[in-house]
Amino acid sequence: MKPRRIQTPLSEKDVRKLRVGQFVLINGYILTARDRIHRFLFEERPDRREIPFELEGAVIYHCGPVLRETDENYRFVVGGPTTSARMEPYEWFLIKHYGIRGIIGKGGMGENTLKAMKEEGCVYFHTLSGCAALLADRIREIQGPWKEEFGLPEAMWLLYVEDLPALITMDSEGNSLHRKIRETSDKALRRLLKR
Amino acid sequence: MDLETGIFELYRKVATSLPPDVEEALRGALKRERGRARYFLEVILENIRIARAKTLPLCQDTGIPIFFVEAPPGISEQRIREAITRATRRATQEIPLRPNAVEPVTNTNSDDNTGREFPIIYFRSSQKNNLRIDLLLKGGGSENVSQIYKLPEESLGAGRDLDGVRRCVLDAINRAQGRGCPPYVVGVAVGGSVDQVSLLGKRLLLRRLDEETEAGLSEFETRLLRDINSLGIGPFGLGGKTTALAAHFDYAHRHPATYIVAVTISCWAHRRGRLIWR
């Protein structure tokens, strides 16, 4: 389980090499985006120039952090992943339109996202569910927010991360560990429900 | 110490540490797992250690605060409510907690974790001379995967008996997969009305994981846990033998026409705590 160190932003070539089952350590900048940012980007389709961060090649993080307000800005307190499935209606569009190359979250995503990942070159990084205190150690710097009016947890923040651990669970070849586990549990369920 | 400070300290304890029985159950699960699942359990235990040592929230989702108050005669509900509100604002600033109270018509965050019916507070009168306050910090991810069933449910072959209840529980967990942060703690309640079983299921989450259940129901709980854990969903939903740490069951008398099942799910970061106020 020796992890592979990767550096953001990611190119299509970088992403196409990554496969389900690999452990990685993510380095560089990532952008938080959760429910409201996803819906906003999907519905309003703002021009890239209106967005203060570079989305092309970016890795987004499904995360609403805990922050502490300081005199000048905010300090990152803790932040683990939120449930990615809620972003399923919008994610394919973010991948196709804004050129997102990686998604960090928990719980995995569905077939529309997987299809967009295959077509454009993008992967899903499953990080450590609920482990916000441990992950906080890997965040070096925070900038932002963009869209503060969505509330602090829902705004977009830029984070510089060092060795953020994750397991690749969906890749650009159309493989999904989540689909595989669902198939296994569906089978077990049928057995358990047999009279 | 005044009541507000007592509740504030309760918030701090519950947001930054887990009860010993939950940690013990996670540690116990290590023995069953190997490979990836074992590694994820080790990471969870490490996260618990860091949060406690640094007094940091275990999880960035510091949840919906749900209070279960048992008050002796003569203590005003209003006074307790006000103390909770003040303690909530202070906890949000000082621990800090994530501001999670969002007004759903305009989707505006109140920024201080208070709002209409937020935190959630349930009152019950008590004959004891102590005021007892239980706090659950209930994460949104696991709340979203909780389910209500009305039996009979043909698609699951679920009739109006405990086997039907078992079928609902397995369906709910299978649908949840890893989205609510397993290993889960599961509260299963049967009764005649939706509001009542939802609340009964929530109250079950206050039980210690190693608590003895009333005679006649513990075999059913053991069966539920064993079946849930043979689904193979595992820690984080990435495969393994530990999909749940405990399954608790309770019931209320129902109506002849209704047989309603609540499957209430909590994440591994099962944050609960109790304040006894003398």
Side-chain angles (χ1 to χ4, degrees), chain B residues 88-104:
Chain B
T88 301
R89 293 197 173 115
R90 194 175 148 202
T92 304
Q93 279 285 318
E94 291 182 29
I95 295 174
L97 304 177
R98 192 175 72 184
N100 278 349
V102 182
E103 186 270 287

Side-chain angles (χ1 to χ4, degrees), chain B residues 170-214:
Chain B
L170 293 173
D171 179 66
I173 302 295
N174 189 49
R175 288 205 223 177
Q177 294 285 307
R179 291 197 298 279
C181 295
Y184 298 126
V185 175
V186 188
V188 182
V190 179
S193 79
V194 170
D195 55 324
Q196 188 184 40
V197 293
S198 303
L199 181 54
L200 268 181
K202 273 276 159 40
R203 282 192 185 279
L204 284 173
L205 299 182
L206 298 177
R207 272 196 197 164
R208 283 172 50 133
L209 303 196
D210 51 6
E211 196 174 307
E212 285 279 329
T213 310
E214 68 183 271

Side-chain angles (χ1 to χ4, degrees), chain A residues 49-61:
Chain A
R49 280 166 303 190
E50 293 169 40
I51 306 171
F53 307 119
E54 182 56 73
L55 292 181
E56 178 75 44
V59 172
I60 57 169
Y61 184 17

Side-chain angles (χ1 to χ4, degrees), chain A residues 64 80 134 185-186 193 195, chain B residues 47 60 98 107 157 167 174 177:
Chain A
L134 187 151
S185 73
D186 278 347
L193 296 191
R195 290 208 178 264
Chain B
N47 185 67
Q60 79 292 337
R98 192 175 72 184
N107 288 316
R167 287 162 184 267
N174 189 49
Q177 294 285 307

